[in-house]
Amino acid sequence: MTVSEIRQLFDYTEWANDLVLDAAQKLTSDQLLQDVGISHRSILGTMAHMAGAEWVWLERWNGRSPTGDQVWTPWTTALIKDIPGLRGKWQSIADTRNRYLEKLTDAELPRALSFRRINGDAGSMPLVHQMQHVVNHATLHRGQTVGMIRQLGIAPPATDLLFYWMTR
């Protein structure tokens, strides 16, 4: 895999996340926070988790490994109250990640990059695998969020990679 391909995967992730954020923006606060019994309980909770996970991995790529339960505190619905607040924090992560990707070379992708898991355990895997995981993690939880929107009786956006490619 090349840096160009990784950038495309993150471009897709941002495109699809924006579609879901746009859809969520139209929901009421009650709908955003409704516990539907999957993932991180609610639409807003799941999307906040997605953004928080992207932040954690970006921190790791920059040599910092946040650990402990407090890692998730800034990414809870207690602090992120609405979609505009979430969108702002998430966009900052995407902007910082894009600056990181601009400097990244193909030669760096296969190198093992050590990190600490949230529980403090040591981990290591090639940077490219970490990046693929972040994209896959977003796809998993975005699918759950789309399902939650559908459970509310609202037609969700089409976020499959196929639709991304068809717009390019």
Side-chain angles (χ1 to χ4, degrees), residues 55-56 60 65-75 116-121:
W55 172 78
V56 166
R60 290 170 176 168
S65 288
T67 59
D69 292 337
Q70 76 282 1
V71 168
W72 297 114
T73 302
W75 304 103
R116 293 258 170 225
R117 295 179 57 205
I118 301 297
N119 67 4
D121 290 348

PDB file of all heavy atoms in Angstrom, residues 55-56 60 65-75 116-121:
ATOM      1  N   TRP A  55      -8.468  10.405  17.155  1.00  0.00           N
ATOM      2  CA  TRP A  55      -7.530  11.242  17.903  1.00  0.00           C
ATOM      3  C   TRP A  55      -6.472  10.371  18.588  1.00  0.00           C
ATOM      4  O   TRP A  55      -5.278  10.687  18.537  1.00  0.00           O
ATOM      5  CB  TRP A  55      -8.287  12.092  18.927  1.00  0.00           C
ATOM      6  CG  TRP A  55      -7.367  12.819  19.853  1.00  0.00           C
ATOM      7  CD1 TRP A  55      -6.663  13.972  19.573  1.00  0.00           C
ATOM      8  CD2 TRP A  55      -7.015  12.442  21.179  1.00  0.00           C
ATOM      9  NE1 TRP A  55      -5.899  14.316  20.663  1.00  0.00           N
ATOM     10  CE2 TRP A  55      -6.100  13.394  21.670  1.00  0.00           C
ATOM     11  CE3 TRP A  55      -7.395  11.385  22.012  1.00  0.00           C
ATOM     12  CZ2 TRP A  55      -5.560  13.328  22.946  1.00  0.00           C
ATOM     13  CZ3 TRP A  55      -6.856  11.314  23.291  1.00  0.00           C
ATOM     14  CH2 TRP A  55      -5.946  12.283  23.738  1.00  0.00           C
ATOM     15  N   VAL A  56      -6.905   9.289  19.232  1.00  0.00           N
ATOM     16  CA  VAL A  56      -5.964   8.408  19.936  1.00  0.00           C
ATOM     17  C   VAL A  56      -4.902   7.890  18.974  1.00  0.00           C
ATOM     18  O   VAL A  56      -3.702   7.936  19.268  1.00  0.00           O
ATOM     19  CB  VAL A  56      -6.704   7.237  20.632  1.00  0.00           C
ATOM     20  CG1 VAL A  56      -5.729   6.148  21.065  1.00  0.00           C
ATOM     21  CG2 VAL A  56      -7.506   7.738  21.823  1.00  0.00           C
ATOM     22  N   ARG A  60      -0.791   8.526  18.780  1.00  0.00           N
ATOM     23  CA  ARG A  60       0.197   7.437  18.746  1.00  0.00           C
ATOM     24  C   ARG A  60       1.187   7.634  17.607  1.00  0.00           C
ATOM     25  O   ARG A  60       2.397   7.406  17.768  1.00  0.00           O
ATOM     26  CB  ARG A  60      -0.505   6.084  18.618  1.00  0.00           C
ATOM     27  CG  ARG A  60      -1.260   5.694  19.875  1.00  0.00           C
ATOM     28  CD  ARG A  60      -2.140   4.496  19.643  1.00  0.00           C
ATOM     29  NE  ARG A  60      -2.805   4.067  20.875  1.00  0.00           N
ATOM     30  CZ  ARG A  60      -3.798   3.203  20.912  1.00  0.00           C
ATOM     31  NH1 ARG A  60      -4.243   2.636  19.791  1.00  0.00           N
ATOM     32  NH2 ARG A  60      -4.345   2.867  22.063  1.00  0.00           N
ATOM     33  N   SER A  65       1.084   8.188  23.489  1.00  0.00           N
ATOM     34  CA  SER A  65       0.073   7.142  23.635  1.00  0.00           C
ATOM     35  C   SER A  65      -0.795   7.445  24.847  1.00  0.00           C
ATOM     36  O   SER A  65      -0.434   7.099  25.974  1.00  0.00           O
ATOM     37  CB  SER A  65       0.727   5.764  23.794  1.00  0.00           C
ATOM     38  OG  SER A  65       1.292   5.328  22.586  1.00  0.00           O
ATOM     39  N   PRO A  66      -1.927   8.098  24.640  1.00  0.00           N
ATOM     40  CA  PRO A  66      -2.814   8.367  25.769  1.00  0.00           C
ATOM     41  C   PRO A  66      -3.281   7.051  26.398  1.00  0.00           C
ATOM     42  O   PRO A  66      -3.599   6.105  25.690  1.00  0.00           O
ATOM     43  CB  PRO A  66      -4.001   9.098  25.142  1.00  0.00           C
ATOM     44  CG  PRO A  66      -3.598   9.449  23.761  1.00  0.00           C
ATOM     45  CD  PRO A  66      -2.474   8.554  23.377  1.00  0.00           C
ATOM     46  N   THR A  67      -3.288   6.999  27.714  1.00  0.00           N
ATOM     47  CA  THR A  67      -3.730   5.795  28.415  1.00  0.00           C
ATOM     48  C   THR A  67      -4.672   6.175  29.552  1.00  0.00           C
ATOM     49  O   THR A  67      -4.721   7.321  29.980  1.00  0.00           O
ATOM     50  CB  THR A  67      -2.533   5.011  29.001  1.00  0.00           C
ATOM     51  OG1 THR A  67      -1.823   5.857  29.902  1.00  0.00           O
ATOM     52  CG2 THR A  67      -1.600   4.522  27.906  1.00  0.00           C
ATOM     53  N   GLY A  68      -5.399   5.196  30.019  1.00  0.00           N
ATOM     54  CA  GLY A  68      -6.285   5.376  31.166  1.00  0.00           C
ATOM     55  C   GLY A  68      -7.695   5.786  30.762  1.00  0.00           C
ATOM     56  O   GLY A  68      -7.944   6.223  29.642  1.00  0.00           O
ATOM     57  N   ASP A  69      -8.592   5.615  31.698  1.00  0.00           N
ATOM     58  CA  ASP A  69     -10.004   5.906  31.446  1.00  0.00           C
ATOM     59  C   ASP A  69     -10.257   7.353  31.045  1.00  0.00           C
ATOM     60  O   ASP A  69     -11.202   7.649  30.328  1.00  0.00           O
ATOM     61  CB  ASP A  69     -10.850   5.567  32.676  1.00  0.00           C
ATOM     62  CG  ASP A  69     -10.897   4.073  32.944  1.00  0.00           C
ATOM     63  OD1 ASP A  69     -10.667   3.292  32.002  1.00  0.00           O
ATOM     64  OD2 ASP A  69     -11.175   3.695  34.103  1.00  0.00           O
ATOM     65  N   GLN A  70      -9.409   8.278  31.502  1.00  0.00           N
ATOM     66  CA  GLN A  70      -9.614   9.689  31.199  1.00  0.00           C
ATOM     67  C   GLN A  70      -9.446  10.007  29.711  1.00  0.00           C
ATOM     68  O   GLN A  70      -9.876  11.064  29.259  1.00  0.00           O
ATOM     69  CB  GLN A  70      -8.692  10.576  32.044  1.00  0.00           C
ATOM     70  CG  GLN A  70      -7.245  10.621  31.592  1.00  0.00           C
ATOM     71  CD  GLN A  70      -6.398   9.411  31.967  1.00  0.00           C
ATOM     72  OE1 GLN A  70      -6.880   8.462  32.582  1.00  0.00           O
ATOM     73  NE2 GLN A  70      -5.136   9.429  31.597  1.00  0.00           N
ATOM     74  N   VAL A  71      -8.843   9.093  28.965  1.00  0.00           N
ATOM     75  CA  VAL A  71      -8.663   9.297  27.528  1.00  0.00           C
ATOM     76  C   VAL A  71     -10.001   9.585  26.854  1.00  0.00           C
ATOM     77  O   VAL A  71     -10.107  10.433  25.974  1.00  0.00           O
ATOM     78  CB  VAL A  71      -7.987   8.066  26.876  1.00  0.00           C
ATOM     79  CG1 VAL A  71      -8.061   8.121  25.363  1.00  0.00           C
ATOM     80  CG2 VAL A  71      -6.555   7.950  27.343  1.00  0.00           C
ATOM     81  N   TRP A  72     -11.052   8.892  27.289  1.00  0.00           N
ATOM     82  CA  TRP A  72     -12.345   9.012  26.617  1.00  0.00           C
ATOM     83  C   TRP A  72     -13.181  10.178  27.131  1.00  0.00           C
ATOM     84  O   TRP A  72     -14.175  10.548  26.507  1.00  0.00           O
ATOM     85  CB  TRP A  72     -13.128   7.707  26.737  1.00  0.00           C
ATOM     86  CG  TRP A  72     -12.415   6.588  26.048  1.00  0.00           C
ATOM     87  CD1 TRP A  72     -11.871   5.484  26.619  1.00  0.00           C
ATOM     88  CD2 TRP A  72     -12.135   6.483  24.648  1.00  0.00           C
ATOM     89  NE1 TRP A  72     -11.274   4.699  25.659  1.00  0.00           N
ATOM     90  CE2 TRP A  72     -11.422   5.290  24.440  1.00  0.00           C
ATOM     91  CE3 TRP A  72     -12.410   7.290  23.539  1.00  0.00           C
ATOM     92  CZ2 TRP A  72     -10.975   4.878  23.180  1.00  0.00           C
ATOM     93  CZ3 TRP A  72     -11.979   6.882  22.287  1.00  0.00           C
ATOM     94  CH2 TRP A  72     -11.267   5.694  22.113  1.00  0.00           C
ATOM     95  N   THR A  73     -12.797  10.785  28.254  1.00  0.00           N
ATOM     96  CA  THR A  73     -13.598  11.853  28.848  1.00  0.00           C
ATOM     97  C   THR A  73     -13.938  12.974  27.863  1.00  0.00           C
ATOM     98  O   THR A  73     -15.097  13.385  27.779  1.00  0.00           O
ATOM     99  CB  THR A  73     -12.901  12.420  30.110  1.00  0.00           C
ATOM    100  OG1 THR A  73     -12.707  11.344  31.024  1.00  0.00           O
ATOM    101  CG2 THR A  73     -13.726  13.508  30.753  1.00  0.00           C
ATOM    102  N   PRO A  74     -12.971  13.488  27.088  1.00  0.00           N
ATOM    103  CA  PRO A  74     -13.323  14.576  26.159  1.00  0.00           C
ATOM    104  C   PRO A  74     -14.231  14.131  25.007  1.00  0.00           C
ATOM    105  O   PRO A  74     -14.728  14.958  24.252  1.00  0.00           O
ATOM    106  CB  PRO A  74     -11.975  15.035  25.609  1.00  0.00           C
ATOM    107  CG  PRO A  74     -10.931  14.400  26.444  1.00  0.00           C
ATOM    108  CD  PRO A  74     -11.542  13.211  27.099  1.00  0.00           C
ATOM    109  N   TRP A  75     -14.429  12.825  24.880  1.00  0.00           N
ATOM    110  CA  TRP A  75     -15.176  12.273  23.758  1.00  0.00           C
ATOM    111  C   TRP A  75     -16.500  11.669  24.200  1.00  0.00           C
ATOM    112  O   TRP A  75     -16.989  10.730  23.592  1.00  0.00           O
ATOM    113  CB  TRP A  75     -14.315  11.240  23.031  1.00  0.00           C
ATOM    114  CG  TRP A  75     -13.028  11.858  22.608  1.00  0.00           C
ATOM    115  CD1 TRP A  75     -11.808  11.700  23.200  1.00  0.00           C
ATOM    116  CD2 TRP A  75     -12.837  12.790  21.550  1.00  0.00           C
ATOM    117  NE1 TRP A  75     -10.868  12.474  22.559  1.00  0.00           N
ATOM    118  CE2 TRP A  75     -11.475  13.158  21.540  1.00  0.00           C
ATOM    119  CE3 TRP A  75     -13.689  13.367  20.597  1.00  0.00           C
ATOM    120  CZ2 TRP A  75     -10.939  14.063  20.624  1.00  0.00           C
ATOM    121  CZ3 TRP A  75     -13.165  14.261  19.682  1.00  0.00           C
ATOM    122  CH2 TRP A  75     -11.805  14.596  19.703  1.00  0.00           C
ATOM    123  N   ARG A 116       1.216   2.438  23.229  1.00  0.00           N
ATOM    124  CA  ARG A 116       0.560   1.884  24.419  1.00  0.00           C
ATOM    125  C   ARG A 116      -0.930   1.857  24.154  1.00  0.00           C
ATOM    126  O   ARG A 116      -1.502   2.815  23.643  1.00  0.00           O
ATOM    127  CB  ARG A 116       0.828   2.739  25.655  1.00  0.00           C
ATOM    128  CG  ARG A 116       2.254   2.713  26.084  1.00  0.00           C
ATOM    129  CD  ARG A 116       2.422   1.797  27.265  1.00  0.00           C
ATOM    130  NE  ARG A 116       3.838   1.603  27.520  1.00  0.00           N
ATOM    131  CZ  ARG A 116       4.368   0.438  27.770  1.00  0.00           C
ATOM    132  NH1 ARG A 116       3.629  -0.648  27.828  1.00  0.00           N
ATOM    133  NH2 ARG A 116       5.648   0.310  27.988  1.00  0.00           N
ATOM    134  N   ARG A 117      -1.552   0.746  24.485  1.00  0.00           N
ATOM    135  CA  ARG A 117      -3.004   0.656  24.381  1.00  0.00           C
ATOM    136  C   ARG A 117      -3.607   1.496  25.498  1.00  0.00           C
ATOM    137  O   ARG A 117      -2.909   1.935  26.411  1.00  0.00           O
ATOM    138  CB  ARG A 117      -3.430  -0.807  24.479  1.00  0.00           C
ATOM    139  CG  ARG A 117      -2.903  -1.614  23.281  1.00  0.00           C
ATOM    140  CD  ARG A 117      -3.262  -3.069  23.335  1.00  0.00           C
ATOM    141  NE  ARG A 117      -4.710  -3.205  23.436  1.00  0.00           N
ATOM    142  CZ  ARG A 117      -5.309  -4.265  23.962  1.00  0.00           C
ATOM    143  NH1 ARG A 117      -4.603  -5.270  24.449  1.00  0.00           N
ATOM    144  NH2 ARG A 117      -6.621  -4.335  24.020  1.00  0.00           N
ATOM    145  N   ILE A 118      -4.896   1.726  25.443  1.00  0.00           N
ATOM    146  CA  ILE A 118      -5.567   2.543  26.453  1.00  0.00           C
ATOM    147  C   ILE A 118      -5.328   1.978  27.849  1.00  0.00           C
ATOM    148  O   ILE A 118      -5.143   2.723  28.806  1.00  0.00           O
ATOM    149  CB  ILE A 118      -7.085   2.645  26.158  1.00  0.00           C
ATOM    150  CG1 ILE A 118      -7.342   3.270  24.785  1.00  0.00           C
ATOM    151  CG2 ILE A 118      -7.813   3.424  27.253  1.00  0.00           C
ATOM    152  CD1 ILE A 118      -6.875   4.676  24.599  1.00  0.00           C
ATOM    153  N   ASN A 119      -5.281   0.657  27.959  1.00  0.00           N
ATOM    154  CA  ASN A 119      -5.075   0.029  29.273  1.00  0.00           C
ATOM    155  C   ASN A 119      -3.607   0.029  29.706  1.00  0.00           C
ATOM    156  O   ASN A 119      -3.267  -0.480  30.771  1.00  0.00           O
ATOM    157  CB  ASN A 119      -5.626  -1.399  29.291  1.00  0.00           C
ATOM    158  CG  ASN A 119      -4.848  -2.351  28.392  1.00  0.00           C
ATOM    159  OD1 ASN A 119      -3.835  -1.999  27.792  1.00  0.00           O
ATOM    160  ND2 ASN A 119      -5.346  -3.576  28.282  1.00  0.00           N
ATOM    161  N   GLY A 120      -2.726   0.601  28.880  1.00  0.00           N
ATOM    162  CA  GLY A 120      -1.307   0.696  29.209  1.00  0.00           C
ATOM    163  C   GLY A 120      -0.439  -0.398  28.645  1.00  0.00           C
ATOM    164  O   GLY A 120       0.791  -0.293  28.669  1.00  0.00           O
ATOM    165  N   ASP A 121      -1.048  -1.472  28.137  1.00  0.00           N
ATOM    166  CA  ASP A 121      -0.269  -2.561  27.545  1.00  0.00           C
ATOM    167  C   ASP A 121       0.479  -2.073  26.308  1.00  0.00           C
ATOM    168  O   ASP A 121      -0.035  -1.254  25.547  1.00  0.00           O
ATOM    169  CB  ASP A 121      -1.171  -3.731  27.147  1.00  0.00           C
ATOM    170  CG  ASP A 121      -1.741  -4.479  28.338  1.00  0.00           C
ATOM    171  OD1 ASP A 121      -1.281  -4.256  29.476  1.00  0.00           O
ATOM    172  OD2 ASP A 121      -2.675  -5.293  28.118  1.00  0.00           O
TER     173      ASP A 121
END
